[in-house]
Structure formats: C-alpha cells, structure tokens
Amino acid sequence: APLPPPPQPVAAKADVERKIKDLLESRPIQFVQSEATITEDGRVNLNVIAEELNRLPAGTTVELHGHTFCKPPCVNKCGLVELSQRRCNSIVTELNSAGLNDKFNFNITAWGCKEPTIGSQKIVRFLIP
C-alpha cells in the first residue's frame, strides 16, 4: 500500500502574522461607515487571512485588536469602543464562515478612540503571540 502523504508543515506564527500585517497594510478591512458590516472587499481580504491562519495549528490564540478612525481632536466618544467590539465580532464570524470553524481562540481587544487610528483606515490588527 502507498504511504500516506506527509503532514503539511506548520507555519511559523511570526510568518503568518507578518503576511497578515502586510496584507492589511496594502488592503485594510473596510466596514460600512459607523457600522459593523464588512464590505465586499473586506470579505475578500478575510478569506485570504483565513487561508493564512489555517496554516497554524488548531487551538492557536489569535489576538484581534479593533480601533476606530478618529479625526483630531479625538475624544473618547460614547459608542466607539462598542463599535470596535462589534466589528471584531463580525470579523471572527466571517473568518469562521470562511473555513476556520472555531479552530482558533480569538482574544478581542476593542480600543475605540482609546487607541485611535488617525488619518488611516487601518482599524484592525492581528497578533499571534
């Protein structure tokens, strides 16, 4: 009988994190303004991110940080932390529907305007400790 194929090598966490960071630098995940609804382009990006994350072993912890775009002067407006939380939840739901199937432990930190992005739409960061 033929030998089974060798197992796929597990990707290094740092390599996956770097590839996701590079993708988000060039094509940030976009949302409908003031909503947690991911745009079509954002869903396409999340499919690529899901492919990258699937290179990691099941049970890996993935930190997902959500930020809110603010124009100076930035004040901690009511609801922006909650918006960041809802957006992160939408991302996790979308990643699971793109094939992750609850394979990872997502730790969400919603920053809102506590740690805003100013002059940028890069409102999501993935960290793989």
Side-chain angles (χ1 to χ4, degrees), residues 5-129:
Q8 292 293 323
V10 174
K13 291 178 182 181
D15 181 51
V16 172
E17 184 177 312
R18 181 185 50 75
K19 287 185 178 184
I20 291 172
K21 181 181 177 191
D22 289 348
L23 171 70
L24 292 175
E25 285 292 324
S26 62
R27 295 177 21 212
I29 297 168
Q30 299 288 321
F31 296 88
V32 174
Q33 185 174 352
S34 301
E35 295 182 19
T37 304
I38 302 167
T39 65
E40 187 59 38
D41 286 344
R43 283 197 284 286
V44 169
N45 291 353
L46 286 173
N47 285 330
V48 175
I49 289 170
E51 290 173 14
E52 282 300 317
L53 289 173
N54 262 324
R55 297 173 52 214
L56 298 171
T60 297
T61 296
V62 178
E63 293 183 16
L64 179 58
H65 291 227
H67 305 268
T68 305
F69 176 73
C70 293
K71 293 179 184 175
C74 185
V75 295
N76 194 8
K77 296 179 183 176
C78 180
L80 292 179
V81 171
E82 291 81 5
L83 177 60
S84 292
Q85 180 72 43
R86 289 195 321 272
R87 286 177 169 179
C88 287
N89 291 342
S90 293
I91 288 171
V92 171
T93 298
E94 188 68 31
L95 288 171
N96 284 326
S97 68
L100 295 188
N101 302 319
D102 299 314
K103 178 179 172 182
F104 300 104
N105 302 314
F106 285 97
N107 290 338
I108 293 174
T109 302
W111 292 100
C113 260
K114 292 179 186 174
E115 189 179 301
T117 60
I118 297 176
S120 169
Q121 292 296 321
K122 297 172 183 72
I123 56 178
V124 176
R125 289 186 298 150
F126 287 82
L127 302 171
I128 306 166

